[in-house]
Amino acid sequence: MIASKRQFAPTAASQPKARVLRLEVIGGELGSQEMTLPLPARIGRSSSASLQLSHPLVADEHCDILVRGDQVLVRDLGSENGTFVNRDRIDLAQWEPGQLLTIGDVTFRAILD
């Protein structure tokens, strides 16, 4: 039997829920502020990034923030200077509310809505 494209079409239940992450900036060049970031998102210096950080320690495409089920994940995209969750350099890590994310000289605290 040959499967049709329809059999593999995503259903509403299989689609990731759109989430918005509130970020509290607690250190770095952005100063103290709070912002929202629709997920999934890419952080970097590139103009195509969802959140642009124009710091020399930030790569053009530095990291992704993803949603997998009920989890928010941070994935480093091979940046030279690294992505840090609670001061630990990561390749892929869960990012929970209250934890810190440092990219370049900017540190964020996650506030999940």
Side-chain angles (χ1 to χ4, degrees), residues 95-106:
W95 190 23
E96 297 183 8
Q99 290 186 322
L100 303 179
L101 173 66
T102 302
I103 301 164
D105 78 334
V106 180

Side-chain angles (χ1 to χ4, degrees), residues 43-99:
I43 299 176
R45 281 195 326 234
S46 170
S47 61
S48 64
S50 308
L51 176 58
Q52 282 185 273
L53 299 176
S54 59
H55 189 275
L57 295 177
V58 177
D60 286 343
E61 294 183 340
H62 198 97
C63 68
D64 284 335
I65 302 178
L66 312 164
V67 176
R68 294 292 182 260
D70 290 336
Q71 296 181 336
V72 174
L73 304 174
V74 179
R75 177 179 58 204
D76 184 81
L77 298 174
S79 66
E80 185 175 325
N81 296 301
T83 301
F84 298 82
V85 173
N86 286 344
R87 297 186 182 176
D88 295 322
R89 188 172 182 151
I90 59 97
D91 290 319
L92 178 68
Q94 185 173 348
W95 190 23
E96 297 183 8
Q99 290 186 322

